Amino acid sequence: SIEKGRFVFSDLSLVTPYEKTVFAVEFTLNNFSTRKDVASPYSFNASLGEDTTFTWEGDLSINPLHSRGRFVLAGIKPRDLWKYILDLVHFEVATGTVNVAGQYQVGIEEKNFQAQLIGGEIQLNDFNLIEKGTDNQIARLPLLSVQGIDADLAKKQVVGSCVTSKDAHVNGWLDPDGTFGIEKVFSLDALKAKYKTKLKTTDESGPPSQPWQLTVKEVMVENYGLNFEDRTTATPKRINLDSIRVDLKNLSNQRDSKAKINA
């Protein structure tokens, strides 16, 4: 049993130093054993800041290595994550919260690592993205919900039951030099330069690896708005699209798959 634990992460290599504290860590593990096929129940609770909590519970077996349970991350603030890279990007996350939940199974079977996510859920609320150092809004997303996420590491498959979003507004523009403003805002060159890694060379003589298969059974977008401004002319030209509605069914990257669209 661990009570009132504290974990502090600091990165002083950044222009703006970053620090994150995980406080009030509570962890319990009962009847732990190395005997075969003995599962030990556990629970984990922690606060990642104001109104942000992480709960995780299930059971754990060491012989063989296997665990299953459920986790809930509630009230995650994307702005806190943005602060870690704020000196390396040209956008700013002004507001927003994310909730993540799901059941999982992980373990070692026949010397292979297996992992599954069952019934995963992601919900993004009140997300507002602006150009850093300005009041220019890039995107406002009141709601984005992803339900019924099933993922299998061994099969390399991800299936989502339903993605819904509504009342979003997106702004784009073409700068006087003919480049898209979004391209500049989302340039990750500085981020890549700081965290670049050397990729290990692999033996490509063997069979090609199986690509991941992604499928979403239904995507529903309602009441979207899009504004685009062409600033290459003396008098900027504007295009506004409102009340955008899109309904997609059976969207997949599998070969020869066909999705139905109603827009």
Side-chain angles (χ1 to χ4, degrees):
S1 177
I2 297 175
E3 298 180 2
K4 296 182 180 180
R6 179 190 297 267
F7 173 77
V8 181
F9 171 77
S10 302
D11 190 339
L12 306 181
S13 70
L14 305 172
V15 175
T16 304
Y18 178 85
E19 182 173 290
K20 185 66 178 178
T21 300
V22 179
F23 181 58
V25 176
E26 309 283 345
F27 176 74
T28 60
L29 177 65
N30 297 313
N31 300 319
F32 178 75
S33 174
T34 59
R35 289 179 296 171
K36 187 174 178 61
D37 296 326
V38 174
S40 307
Y42 68 86
S43 65
F44 177 89
N45 296 276
S47 173
L48 285 74
E50 184 180 357
D51 300 324
T52 305
T53 59
F54 178 31
T55 60
W56 179 21
E57 59 185 9
D59 57 58
L60 172 68
S61 170
I62 295 297
N63 183 17
L65 183 60
H66 184 269
S67 179
R68 62 181 178 182
R70 177 174 175 79
F71 63 90
V72 177
L73 270 162
I76 305 169
K77 294 178 175 58
R79 182 173 174 82
D80 289 344
L81 304 177
W82 167 81
K83 288 179 180 179
Y84 188 62
I85 59 172
L86 67 89
D87 296 314
L88 305 173
V89 295
H90 304 288
F91 60 83
E92 179 180 349
V93 177
T95 61
T97 58
V98 180
N99 299 321
V100 181
Q103 300 181 54
Y104 76 93
Q105 292 189 72
V106 297
I108 302 293
E109 294 183 11
E110 297 180 356
K111 299 183 179 181
N112 294 320
F113 179 73
Q114 307 284 342
Q116 291 180 314
L117 173 67
I118 305 109
E121 303 174 5
I122 301 174
Q123 183 167 316
L124 176 63
N125 299 297
D126 191 28
F127 184 73
N128 191 15
L129 194 68
I130 63 176
E131 185 178 6
K132 191 170 72 172
T134 73
D135 293 327
N136 296 333
Q137 185 183 73
I138 301 171
R140 176 178 58 83
L141 189 61
L143 174 66
L144 173 66
S145 175
V146 186
Q147 301 290 326
I149 307 171
D150 294 333
D152 192 309
L153 180 64
K155 296 180 180 179
K156 290 189 174 182
Q157 290 182 347
V158 178
V159 177
S161 178
C162 185
V163 177
T164 57
S165 182
K166 61 181 181 179
D167 301 331
H169 203 93
V170 181
N171 296 311
W173 65 94
L174 192 65
D175 283 324
D177 60 2
T179 59
F180 285 99
I182 296 295
E183 184 179 354
K184 291 181 179 179
V185 169
F186 289 107
S187 173
L188 301 179
D189 292 343
L191 191 63
K192 292 178 181 177
K194 180 173 178 60
Y195 295 107
K196 65 181 179 180
T197 57
K198 295 182 179 180
L199 298 177
K200 297 181 179 179
T201 58
T202 57
D203 183 6
E204 299 182 355
S205 60
S209 61
Q210 175 187 346
W212 278 84
Q213 295 182 353
L214 309 177
T215 301
V216 181
K217 296 179 181 179
E218 186 169 21
V219 179
M220 294 184 293
V221 171
E222 295 183 26
N223 197 32
Y224 263 49
L226 174 63
N227 291 345
F228 182 79
E229 186 174 75
D230 186 347
R231 301 174 182 172
T232 61
T233 58
T235 303
K237 302 296 187 295
R238 296 181 178 87
I239 298 174
N240 301 320
L241 298 176
D242 294 310
S243 301
I244 299 172
R245 184 181 185 278
V246 179
D247 191 352
L248 283 166
K249 295 184 184 298
N250 299 321
L251 183 65
S252 175
N253 69 340
Q254 297 185 41
R255 184 176 179 84
D256 297 327
S257 65
K258 294 181 180 180
K260 293 183 179 180
I261 181 171
N262 185 0

